Amino acid sequence: NEPGVPRCGRGLCLAGPVSHTGHVFRAAARWAIQSIRILSALKACMKYWLGRIYLRLMGWKLLGQKPSYKKYLVLAAPHTSNWDLPLMLAVALHFRVRLRWLGKKELVDGPVAWSMHLLGGISIDRSKSSNVVAQMIETFDRAERLVVAIPPEGTRAKVRY
């Protein structure tokens, strides 16, 4: 190796000797990747604490732990309040689960559709038969990891059981 000629990996760069600038760019790229990993970890930590604080403020205390499976369904029952969605999302944040959830088309594709999809919403058109069960089976088969919450159909009005 000639003095002043940087080494790349196991030997000289394939393109021949490279200026010091090339190594500066590689160092900057490594720093950027490490920064992204750190920011990603901070984001995950902030989501966790956001979920915990929200649940604490709402008077909820969580017991247990998330399932160890890579794919599973969560039955979000009973669906009796408009607060069910934020509570369910807070629980998912607490357990560090990327949760997808089924919601009626009017909610998920409404005026705030971008936020509902960002929060994991999957639109279901209940006015027509669209074979949702077969679609979900296909989605589960394709995914490596998937957690889907299914709220049962029903009313949020007070009813006598």
Side-chain angles (χ1 to χ4, degrees), residues 61-73:
K61 180 179 180 182
L62 295 180
L63 301 174
Q65 53 193 341
K66 72 178 180 181
S68 60
Y69 302 106
K70 291 183 178 183
K71 302 179 202 181
Y72 55 93
L73 291 174

Side-chain angles (χ1 to χ4, degrees), residues 123-154:
S123 178
I124 300 296
D125 187 357
R126 300 184 300 174
S127 66
K128 62 181 179 181
S129 177
S130 55
N131 208 357
V132 174
V133 173
Q135 291 174 19
M136 290 309 301
I137 290 171
E138 194 175 301
T139 303
F140 265 85
D141 287 343
R142 283 193 317 257
E144 185 179 323
R145 292 180 150 310
L146 185 62
V147 180
V148 178
I150 302 177
E153 186 177 356

Side-chain angles (χ1 to χ4, degrees), residues 44-82:
C45 187
M46 288 174 61
K47 285 181 178 181
Y48 168 78
W49 283 104
L50 178 68
R52 279 190 64 123
I53 290 168
Y54 181 79
L55 290 167
R56 179 77 45 109
L57 291 173
M58 296 298 288
W60 285 75
K61 180 179 180 182
L62 295 180
L63 301 174
Q65 53 193 341
K66 72 178 180 181
S68 60
Y69 302 106
K70 291 183 178 183
K71 302 179 202 181
Y72 55 93
L73 291 174
V74 175
L75 297 178
H79 183 31
T80 56
S81 163
N82 287 331

